[in-house]
Amino acid sequence: MSASDYNENGLPVSDDIIDRMLTFSPTFSSLQATILTCKQFYRVFQVHPKSVVRAVAYNITGPALPQALECIRHPDIQKLPHEFSSRAYWGESDEDLEDDDSKDEDSDENSGKEDKKEPTTQLKQINARTGDIDIDIGDLSLAPITALETREILANSKVVARLEDLFSFRYLDRSASTSQLSWSESQAFCVAMYHLMLYSSIFHPGTWNISSDSENDENADIGEHREKFEKRKKHLSRLSTPELLQLHSVAEFLKEILLWCVRTSGYPSEICDLALAAGPVRILKCFDNQDNSPLQPLEDMLDYFEEELELHPRLAGLLSGPHLKNLEARNVKPPPSDFTHWLSISPRVTERNSQCDRCQKSFGFNTFSRSTFTELSNGEHLRLHTTSLSYYDSENISRCLKNRLRFNYAESECFSHEAQKFGASLLLQIWNDLWNLRIVIQLPKDQQNLPDWTEDDYLCEDCFRSFLFENLWLWWRHVKSGSEPLKDNCWYGYNCRTQTHNITHAEKLNHLCEQTRF
Ligand SMILES: [Zn+2]
Ligand SMILES: [Zn+2]
């Protein structure tokens, strides 16, 4: 390369190209790493910090950037009374923010130090201009993005992306753990989820004033209730009709997640109405918190409503009330109550994708299939929760052996010991072996009216357990016979009573066989 190939900046590429390169950074931390690598890069960044940061924010959120910004900038969020919880706890997460993400990005000359904590001066001017009635999302997204905001954007975008993955898995393509939504479907989902995030931040129960004082004056209470209802209705009125329908669908999805989380908690199903008041961040936390107590992230809300439970009637209509009024005003029918409302997000959604292939019931968020077992063996478990998983680990899986085999101590011990060797690949190994060796037992047709098992099945937990119950002992017999010759068969096979209390008998004979004497 000759000296003439170099630009004034001493590099073989011009400042414009460097600027362009910076806008392609996929994350704020990669942007930061890039500008700290080279003085020239840093200098170029300082010329246009706002546009570069905005471009990177777009790379993170996609086309939902205006809504993502609105979620953290809307002036009504700032006005929350915070009676009993910080904003981060009620609405959008300030936790999980990554400290290593960009500290120098707002080195723009125009942005003073306070920009990092406060909404920008420009935004304040906008707010002063618009008051709190007509918020123009275009205006809200105009101001330069501050360093603090980059972190909030990142944290919220992670939540939205993960919810999109879950949605895609549940309604579009259960074989993939990451979103298979198209560009425009993904945009519809994300925009709607940010709308919901904002809605639950602005209208969360902390603003309701359901204290006993207001009971003294019922009329005042009704008046206040109506005023708040009108405010919510007005807030939603700015959305287009497709956006309203999409908002309904993501709200239903959030309720579905919460319902899944509380299925073993003893709470009534109406509790899923809490999902909209809690907002996407906290509901995803519940979903991820299933190992111990899924409702822990909602504890303060549950405390708050404790005296009001039967849940507060306003909770059920938090979104649906003003939502329906808006549709009514446009002469639009309410969203369908069956599965077809999901079509608002994607026309490719099918109900079958969310159902067990065997019993046709919804499998919730736990599905048992080869793709699930493959993910598990790769150390991922997006779809199976620890409570379910522990049931099938090497320690416990012998409980799925057929009939009295599972009470055969000698057999269970030996099985657990062998199973340990497969580690996280245990279920994948069992599934593959049973199909490759063609030893899967189908129940005789006259005994059941369910379809045959197939190796491509997606099963609910109940059906998977019956599959194991019918077939696991065959797999264990295959594994065992590979390392030692099997003992003579006991006449009573897996139904033998003696194997459960007589260890000598259990060890002396093979019980991994059918009963031949009755
Ligand atoms: Zn099933
Ligand atoms: Zn026996």
Side-chain angles (χ1 to χ4, degrees):
M1 203 175 266
S2 70
S4 60
D5 289 333
Y6 287 83
N7 291 279
E8 274 177 30
N9 61 21
L11 296 170
V13 286
S14 68
D15 283 2
D16 285 350
I17 293 182
I18 295 171
D19 184 70
R20 190 98 180 98
M21 278 163 52
L22 295 179
T23 64
F24 282 105
S25 307
T27 62
F28 293 116
S29 45
S30 67
L31 171 66
Q32 186 185 26
T34 313
I35 58 181
L36 294 180
T37 318
C38 165
K39 233 190 225 172
Q40 305 301 345
F41 285 7
Y42 189 73
R43 187 183 50 72
V44 171
F45 171 72
Q46 281 186 310
V47 179
H48 303 294
K50 293 178 196 168
S51 62
V52 173
V53 168
R54 181 167 292 267
V56 177
Y58 186 92
N59 297 342
I60 292 168
T61 63
L65 179 60
Q67 289 77 21
L69 281 170
E70 192 189 29
C71 261
I72 54 181
R73 287 178 170 178
H74 198 289
D76 287 353
I77 300 175
Q78 317 287 339
K79 286 187 212 150
L80 289 179
H82 306 311
E83 278 168 8
F84 34 79
S85 282
S86 71
R87 176 185 150 210
Y89 205 54
W90 270 108
E92 311 335 317
S93 172
D94 284 336
E95 295 166 32
D96 311 325
L97 299 181
E98 291 178 7
D99 282 340
D100 56 353
D101 274 307
S102 93
K103 289 192 173 108
D104 290 332
E105 286 158 15
D106 269 71
S107 48
D108 186 29
E109 287 157 24
N110 298 326
S111 57
K113 267 189 184 168
E114 66 267 44
D115 276 8
K116 305 200 174 190
K117 287 188 178 148
E118 296 290 322
T120 62
T121 317
Q122 190 178 346
L123 184 66
K124 282 179 181 161
Q125 286 162 357
I126 291 167
N127 293 345
R129 215 169 51 235
T130 57
D132 64 352
I133 303 163
D134 292 312
I135 304 301
D136 184 335
I137 185 169
D139 283 353
L140 272 184
S141 69
L142 275 179
I145 298 169
T146 67
L148 179 68
E149 286 176 336
T150 62
R151 296 170 190 214
E152 291 182 317
I153 289 170
L154 190 68
N156 285 341
S157 76
K158 278 183 188 166
V159 170
V160 173
R162 204 159 126 60
L163 289 168
E164 184 186 325
D165 287 345
L166 284 173
F167 179 82
S168 164
F169 156 71
R170 178 133 174 80
Y171 287 109
L172 197 63
D173 182 353
R174 56 193 176 182
S175 70
S177 55
T178 51
S179 173
Q180 303 298 303
L181 265 60
S182 72
W183 191 86
S184 59
E185 290 162 353
S186 164
Q187 180 179 6
F189 181 90
C190 296
V191 165
M193 198 52 91
Y194 281 118
H195 281 150
L196 189 60
M197 209 180 248
L198 178 64
Y199 191 84
S200 55
S201 293
I202 295 179
F203 302 111
H204 74 67
T207 63
W208 291 3
N209 189 22
I210 50 175
S211 67
S212 49
D213 302 15
S214 55
E215 281 168 21
N216 296 335
D217 189 346
E218 230 171 66
N219 288 336
D221 193 31
I222 292 170
E224 194 186 333
H225 176 49
R226 190 166 298 151
E227 188 189 314
K228 286 188 169 159
F229 184 90
E230 285 303 318
K231 208 171 171 195
R232 299 206 300 271
K233 193 173 126 197
K234 176 140 196 167
H235 178 84
L236 291 177
S237 68
R238 72 218 171 100
L239 303 187
S240 69
T241 302
E243 281 177 330
L244 280 177
L245 296 173
Q246 287 151 1
L247 178 65
H248 168 77
S249 285
V250 298
E252 287 301 303
F253 185 56
L254 223 53
K255 283 156 80 172
E256 205 170 33
I257 296 178
L258 183 58
L259 198 58
W260 173 250
C261 297
V262 302
R263 69 199 186 286
T264 52
S265 72
Y267 276 106
S269 60
E270 293 79 56
I271 199 175
C272 67
D273 288 329
L274 261 183
L276 308 186
V281 175
R282 295 224 282 178
I283 296 306
L284 186 62
K285 269 191 190 160
C286 293
F287 186 78
D288 287 335
N289 207 31
Q290 294 210 32
D291 323 17
N292 28 53
S293 60
L295 293 189
Q296 189 269 328
L298 301 183
E299 226 162 50
D300 61 337
M301 290 190 85
L302 289 168
D303 284 351
Y304 183 61
F305 280 112
E306 202 168 30
E307 289 173 18
E308 306 290 331
L309 277 171
E310 317 301 307
L311 290 174
H312 197 280
R314 278 180 225 169
L315 200 53
L318 179 64
L319 177 69
S320 61
H323 186 267
L324 285 173
K325 283 278 176 230
N326 269 291
L327 291 179
E328 215 177 280
R330 299 176 197 189
N331 285 325
V332 176
K333 275 191 272 174
S337 55
D338 66 359
F339 130 97
T340 53
H341 77 82
W342 302 116
L343 299 173
S344 70
I345 303 288
S346 163
R348 300 180 296 142
V349 159
T350 63
E351 190 165 27
R352 204 181 150 269
N353 192 79
S354 63
Q355 293 170 333
C356 169
D357 283 330
R358 175 104 160 153
C359 68
Q360 314 293 315
K361 287 184 197 144
S362 162
F363 55 67
F365 288 85
N366 263 3
T367 173
F368 294 79
S369 67
R370 177 172 283 133
S371 57
T372 317
F373 306 144
T374 309
E375 272 174 27
L376 269 178
S377 96
N378 295 332
E380 304 158 20
H381 57 100
L382 170 80
R383 306 175 203 179
L384 291 183
H385 283 295
T386 321
T387 36
S388 285
L389 270 182
S390 58
Y391 195 86
Y392 307 105
D393 64 16
S394 56
E395 287 233 330
N396 296 309
I397 198 168
S398 62
R399 290 192 224 164
C400 301
L401 286 170
K402 188 153 178 155
N403 294 7
R404 298 208 176 87
L405 270 175
R406 67 191 149 185
F407 307 116
N408 178 329
Y409 180 74
E411 208 65 73
S412 306
E413 277 296 284
C414 184
F415 183 14
S416 294
H417 183 73
E418 271 310 300
Q420 262 177 28
K421 297 180 184 165
F422 295 97
S425 305
L426 181 62
L427 290 180
L428 183 63
Q429 189 75 37
I430 293 170
W431 188 260
N432 283 343
D433 284 350
L434 282 169
W435 290 106
N436 294 342
L437 297 162
R438 296 167 190 269
I439 49 178
V440 171
I441 296 181
Q442 305 287 356
L443 283 178
K445 282 282 174 242
D446 58 338
Q447 282 185 23
Q448 48 126 1
N449 48 12
L450 295 169
D452 279 351
W453 306 112
T454 78
E455 60 178 311
D456 300 320
D457 273 348
Y458 283 80
L459 301 174
C460 70
E461 186 150 14
D462 286 348
C463 288
F464 181 62
R465 280 194 194 184
S466 7
F467 174 84
L468 283 184
F469 189 70
E470 294 302 331
N471 294 289
L472 186 64
W473 67 278
L474 291 163
W475 180 78
W476 173 227
R477 186 171 74 179
H478 156 74
V479 173
K480 206 174 170 188
S481 63
S483 58
E484 58 181 80
L486 296 175
K487 312 255 169 55
D488 291 338
N489 286 353
C490 171
W491 291 335
Y492 301 98
Y494 46 65
N495 291 327
C496 169
R497 270 177 213 280
T498 318
Q499 65 176 329
T500 63
H501 55 82
N502 182 335
I503 190 102
T504 319
H505 174 83
E507 282 170 345
K508 201 175 91 187
L509 293 174
N510 172 44
H511 289 91
L512 299 165
C513 56
E514 309 269 0
Q515 181 169 359
T516 53
R517 177 168 293 196
F518 295 87

